[in-house]
Amino acid sequence: MAAVGDARARRAAVREGAATKRDANAVTRADIIRHGETPARVDPAVVDPALVGSTLADPALPDPALADPAFRADVLAGLSGRPRAIPARWFYDRRGSELFEDITRLPEYYLTRTERSILSAHAADIASLTGPGRAVVEFGSGSSAKTPLVLAAVAPSAYVPIDISGEFLRDSVAELERQFPILPIHPIEGDFMHRLVLPAALANRPRLGFFPGSTIGNMNAPAAVDLLRAMWETLGEGSKLLIGIDRIKPVSVLIPAYDDAQGVTAEFNLNLLHRINRELGGTIPVSAFRHVARWNDTEARIEMHLEATRDVSFSVDGRPFAISKGKTIHTENSYKYGPRDARLLLRSAGWTPIGEWTDREGLFGLILAEARAVPAAP
Ligand code: SAH
Ligand code: AVI
């Protein structure tokens, strides 16, 4: 018990330090484009919180009427449907993004350190296959912690990080600007599942998509193929895509990665309920839910759920809901792929694998693929 408390206190201290550092650099030299808008500098002091979803610094409860309408719609539909399910992208308010960063440092969460080690070991090979001068477009960039490894290797002409977590994106960009002072950076705050228009400054530049972290695993196969096809369209023929895809492995390794001893993943999952309460005027008794991680072998995916530990009733946005003891809200899928499955997934969306790297234990795969016109003949 004490160990958990100590660990929580340490994490909070790290976050506090990081937040102070980030706040000092909150305004970046880059213009953040909110998806669907013309470029404009985002001043944290004047941003309407409703427009940036969950990027609230003020601990006071926001007005639910100002909440992101897409968040409200997904939550209300998700709690009304059977099975109950809410899309995983809503994990990433500021707190959720911070908790995800904590997860990446957990001993059980092998994904981040393994992908980093693959990137470090093979950066030169990757660079020789991509060539210099590409505009690097990163999907779900988060803290951009792995990005410097790629940028330092491939000598890019520009960098475009895309993320739904706006405040976090701004902070990450400020950090990258310090590390790469002459690199043009064009951040886009938005949902990469929607069609994206790249900044005009990228016209006629060859592109390299970067989609690390196995974020593709958070989509089912049809959604993953749709997204990869949309990336093909956005980046264009001749573009390359460097994508990290987690591999199928023993359940004894997978489950702890999604149900760690310190309870950080549980906190990450439960934060979704806190977010609903904060932003949608919810009255969910969060302590009446517990984090559950399961391996679904038929679907080859880890599932995260929030299970009611007693009968509960609550309201969200003024609408009543009841959940019986033992029932769950499905909050995330994390699909795992064999090496051939991963290559087939890419090919299904028009991406031809041209390079592939893994770690010594084969835990994680990093694939470089090229956007080629699909041949008509067999
Ligand atoms: N690429 C980082 C972060 C992975 S976490 C890494 O490899 O460690 C997933 C990231 O994708 C988060 O930063 C989250 O905010 C972002 N994200 C999730 N769904 C998204 C969506 N639909 N559109 C844009 N960003 C999204
Ligand atoms: C971002 N994504 C790839 C993570 C994953 O492993 O599916 C999110 C996560 N969920 C629980 N832990 C980490």
Side-chain angles (χ1 to χ4, degrees):
M1 196 62 195
V4 172
D6 289 352
R8 289 220 168 101
R10 266 200 308 279
R11 289 200 310 274
V14 168
R15 273 198 300 272
E16 212 167 90
T20 312
K21 188 172 131 226
R22 280 195 297 262
D23 289 346
N25 301 297
V27 178
T28 77
R29 70 174 152 79
D31 290 332
I32 293 195
I33 302 173
R34 276 203 235 112
H35 185 215
E37 290 185 354
T38 45
R41 178 172 289 280
V42 176
D43 176 350
V46 296
V47 171
D48 177 350
L51 294 175
V52 292
S54 55
T55 60
L56 300 161
D58 186 344
L61 287 181
D63 180 350
L66 298 177
D68 183 332
F71 180 43
R72 181 191 291 110
D74 278 353
V75 169
L76 295 178
L79 291 175
S80 309
R82 298 293 179 274
R84 296 175 183 85
I86 298 174
R89 65 176 166 279
W90 300 116
F91 278 140
Y92 301 95
D93 63 351
R94 165 130 219 160
R95 174 91 180 117
S97 296
E98 288 170 352
L99 284 165
F100 178 74
E101 284 309 298
D102 292 345
I103 287 173
T104 64
R105 289 186 278 268
L106 290 169
E108 298 96 329
Y109 196 75
Y110 59 86
L111 289 85
T112 306
R113 65 171 175 276
T114 308
E115 189 179 34
R116 282 187 70 102
S117 73
I118 301 169
L119 272 171
S120 306
H122 301 287
D125 302 347
I126 294 166
S128 74
L129 286 170
T130 61
R134 288 184 182 260
V136 174
V137 180
E138 182 169 359
F139 298 85
S141 48
S143 67
S144 290
K146 297 163 191 160
T147 316
L149 291 169
V150 174
L151 297 183
V154 305
S157 55
Y159 173 57
V160 181
I162 303 165
D163 206 286
I164 203 169
S165 191
E167 194 181 334
F168 216 68
L169 174 65
R170 184 182 302 113
D171 297 343
S172 313
V173 167
E175 182 56 40
L176 277 177
E177 283 173 345
R178 258 194 305 278
Q179 290 183 52
F180 298 90
I182 56 166
L183 178 69
I185 301 183
H186 307 278
I188 300 178
E189 178 187 346
D191 185 340
F192 56 53
M193 302 301 285
H194 297 153
R195 212 178 79 80
L196 291 164
V197 179
L198 292 178
L202 267 64
N204 304 322
R205 288 197 195 165
R207 285 105 188 241
L208 169 65
F210 183 40
F211 196 25
S214 202
T215 302
I216 192 75
N218 297 134
M219 282 145 241
N220 62 22
V225 170
D226 282 353
L227 176 60
L228 290 166
R229 266 191 221 286
M231 286 177 177
W232 198 113
E233 297 297 332
T234 303
L235 298 173
E237 190 176 344
S239 296
K240 303 225 160 86
L241 175 67
L242 183 61
I243 182 169
I245 303 186
D246 195 19
R247 291 192 171 170
I248 297 176
K249 57 183 62 62
V251 179
S252 58
V253 178
L254 286 169
I255 291 290
Y258 290 85
D259 194 5
D260 63 279
Q262 293 176 62
V264 185
T265 312
E267 223 176 310
F268 175 70
N269 199 2
L270 288 159
N271 178 58
L272 179 63
L273 301 183
H274 287 298
R275 181 177 185 187
I276 293 171
N277 285 349
R278 270 196 307 270
E279 295 183 27
L280 301 176
T283 61
I284 304 173
V286 179
S287 61
F289 285 85
R290 73 177 189 101
H291 164 71
V292 175
R294 299 178 188 149
W295 172 247
N296 181 331
D297 196 61
T298 311
E299 300 283 347
R301 70 188 188 201
I302 285 280
E303 296 179 2
M304 295 208 320
H305 294 255
L306 289 164
E307 182 185 298
T309 55
R310 58 174 170 82
D311 292 352
V312 288
S313 24
F314 55 86
S315 67
V316 174
D317 199 35
R319 288 200 13 205
F321 295 96
I323 304 183
S324 313
K325 179 178 175 178
K327 297 288 181 197
T328 75
I329 307 169
H330 189 170
T331 49
E332 187 182 63
N333 289 318
S334 200
Y335 286 85
K336 309 299 170 187
Y337 290 87
R340 288 183 182 83
D341 310 330
R343 293 194 292 268
L344 179 61
L345 182 74
L346 286 162
R347 284 203 183 89
S348 310
W351 290 100
T352 304
I354 57 169
E356 184 166 358
W357 302 271
T358 187
D359 52 293
R360 205 178 310 141
E361 294 170 85
L363 295 175
F364 195 94
L366 189 66
I367 302 179
L368 184 67
E370 188 173 41
R372 292 189 187 155
V374 182

